[in-house]
Amino acid sequence: MSARVKLSAMMFLQYFIWGAWFVTMGTYLGQTRGFSGAQIGDAYGATAIAALLSPFFMGIVADRFFASEKLLAILHLAGAALMYLVSLQTEWSTFYPLLIAYALCYMPTLSLTNSVAFHHVKDPVRDFPVIRVLGTIGWIVAGIIVGKVLKADAQAVPMQLAAGASVVMGLFSLMLPHTPPKAAGAPFSIRDAFGLDALQLLKDRNFLVFVIGSFLLCIPLQFYYAFTNAFLNEIKVPEAAFIQTFGQMSEILFMFVLPAMLARMGIGRILRLGMLAWAVRYLAFGYGDAGPGMWMIYTGILLHGVCYDFVFVSGQIYTDQKAGVRMRAAAQGFLNFVTNGVGYFIGAYVSGRVVDAFATAAGHDWRRLWMIPAVSAALVMLIFTLMFRESARQAPSASRRP
């Protein structure tokens, strides 16, 4: 088996695991376990907590003492045991700490798989996107199995599927090409771990506006990730987890057209379109239903390609362009800390409490509920539009990186 095939299989398994349990957890916790919206939101905040803490782990342990493929094996095998235990819990007091422990094992593996892939490709700009797209395909396959084959949205089975896949990933990691620790012998630096050297980029007004806008947008974004599956199941949309995979399919499509659109429209317009798409998506959910309004539900899901690629992928490209070669890693680490860590944690907390506020005897007042993130995303776009003044329209050489 060639190194490229191994790396592609690694990405497939990495995101299959995440996609298996993450999408449907809200439905399982709400319908089957009877947990509140606040508890479901906090559960989705577990990965954000891990994203906040993983730079310490990566900086102190992963980058200095262990080969990446061996650490991947250890973390995924430990994660398999923890996720299986999570699937057995019926009380919040035991479920939540175990889920955080699992997230602390899983989230560092996202960086580790990227490190392994980058270390073994000759041309990262050319080769990495082709390998990384297998991760999106893995997420899609997981959704098809859970939603279409198993029809297990409200069961613990997706967590057990993820646990089984983690065992496979852990064992398979031992077959990956050797990837030595990249910072062996170097002292640990908090500035390096959190990309604090990138703070000097905030002197650039446009970059500061971009970071603030990205952070604020992550708050309404968590409504989608935490509660879309619960929403679809509550309004009786059939095979909800399967239908949600259409969003990842559109993500692949828009990934291909993004470089050309960046070159033609510029980063500012692309980011505004992505932010607008989030607002439109929530409006579509608010006014859609499982009957004649199902086309609006499909529209909201299919907008995922614009929502994700135009905001997050283009944002990574913009950050890469602003930082340059010397500060690239620090800038991307800082952006990840602000958005995937702080932004998503606050978003998880807020979304859960808002969902509880719109609970009714029959379920939830979803129309009014979805207006909250819709208006929030629209306000973020408006602020960004008024304050961002990017004139350059060139697409950087790394524009094909996902």
Side-chain angles (χ1 to χ4, degrees):
M1 187 184 297
S2 70
R4 185 167 183 142
V5 171
K6 288 182 179 178
L7 296 175
S8 298
M10 172 191 73
M11 284 296 181
F12 179 92
L13 287 169
Q14 177 72 26
Y15 287 89
F16 178 95
I17 293 166
W18 199 359
W21 68 271
F22 190 76
V23 174
T24 60
M25 180 175 67
T27 297
Y28 167 68
L29 296 183
Q31 290 190 7
T32 304
R33 292 297 168 215
F35 291 171
S36 68
Q39 289 171 325
I40 295 170
D42 289 348
Y44 276 94
T47 54
I49 292 173
L52 289 170
L53 297 177
S54 63
F56 280 108
F57 174 80
M58 294 297 294
I60 296 174
V61 179
D63 290 344
R64 283 167 171 76
F65 301 112
F66 293 97
S68 295
E69 74 281 1
K70 291 183 174 59
L71 191 55
L72 270 175
I74 294 169
L75 289 173
H76 274 295
L77 289 173
L82 286 167
M83 179 52 77
Y84 183 74
L85 289 175
V86 168
S87 74
L88 301 179
Q89 304 310 305
T90 59
E91 300 295 329
W92 176 252
S93 60
T94 54
F95 175 89
Y96 186 53
L98 282 171
L99 182 64
I100 292 177
Y102 169 78
L104 289 170
C105 288
Y106 180 83
M107 293 307 286
T109 65
L110 295 172
S111 296
L112 285 169
T113 49
N114 287 341
S115 296
V116 171
F118 278 119
H119 188 81
H120 294 284
V121 295
K122 294 180 179 179
D123 184 347
V125 173
R126 181 195 67 197
D127 299 334
F128 182 73
V130 179
I131 293 171
R132 174 57 182 82
V133 78
L134 264 294
T136 304
I137 294 173
W139 186 292
I140 291 170
V141 172
I144 292 172
I145 292 175
V146 170
K148 187 78 172 176
V149 178
L150 300 176
K151 303 184 188 302
D153 290 32
Q155 301 175 25
V157 172
M159 294 179 178
Q160 293 163 2
L161 177 65
S166 295
V167 173
V168 175
M169 176 65 172
L171 297 176
F172 179 76
S173 296
L174 298 174
M175 301 171 56
L176 293 171
H178 177 60
T179 309
K182 62 182 180 182
F188 171 70
S189 167
I190 290 180
R191 293 185 66 86
D192 291 340
F194 291 98
L196 297 182
D197 286 335
L199 288 175
Q200 61 186 278
L201 293 174
L202 299 180
K203 297 176 183 177
D204 182 316
R205 180 176 183 271
N206 280 331
F207 189 74
L208 175 61
V209 171
F210 159 71
V211 170
I212 294 173
S214 298
F215 162 72
L216 291 175
L217 191 65
C218 283
I219 297 173
L221 260 57
Q222 276 288 51
F223 284 82
Y224 177 80
Y225 293 116
F227 293 102
T228 297
N229 188 261
F231 158 66
L232 295 177
N233 278 286
E234 190 171 302
I235 66 171
K236 308 302 182 184
V237 170
E239 300 176 339
F242 166 66
I243 290 173
Q244 284 182 263
T245 65
F246 297 169
Q248 276 65 45
M249 296 176 192
S250 75
E251 180 186 328
I252 295 174
L253 172 64
F254 280 98
M255 191 78 74
F256 285 110
V257 303
L258 180 60
M261 295 189 70
L262 273 171
R264 182 178 181 85
M265 300 176 65
I267 187 68
R269 291 183 180 179
I270 289 293
L271 286 168
R272 284 194 292 272
L273 278 175
M275 294 173 180
L276 177 63
W278 279 100
V280 173
R281 144 181 278 178
Y282 290 136
L283 286 172
F285 284 170
Y287 286 92
D289 56 55
M294 189 64 195
W295 68 273
M296 299 188 76
I297 302 296
Y298 281 121
T299 299
I301 292 172
L302 290 170
L303 276 172
H304 189 71
V306 179
C307 292
Y308 185 83
D309 293 342
F310 282 31
V311 174
F312 290 102
V313 178
S314 67
Q316 291 167 1
I317 292 169
Y318 177 67
T319 301
D320 192 79
Q321 182 185 30
K322 283 291 184 180
V325 175
R326 184 180 66 86
M327 209 176 294
R328 178 177 295 157
Q332 296 291 355
F334 174 70
L335 182 65
N336 182 68
F337 179 80
V338 170
T339 55
N340 293 340
V342 180
Y344 277 164
F345 178 76
I346 295 174
Y349 180 88
V350 170
S351 63
R353 276 74 187 170
V354 170
V355 168
D356 277 343
F358 286 91
T360 66
H364 295 85
D365 185 350
W366 288 108
R367 176 164 296 181
R368 291 176 59 213
L369 192 160
W370 286 123
M371 295 306 106
I372 303 297
V375 171
S376 300
L379 286 174
V380 173
M381 184 205 67
L382 178 61
I383 294 170
F384 180 83
T385 300
L386 293 174
M387 299 184 68
F388 189 86
R389 292 290 181 268
E390 179 63 27
S391 58
R393 292 193 175 185
Q394 60 190 32
S397 60
S399 61
R400 287 178 291 168
R401 186 180 302 167

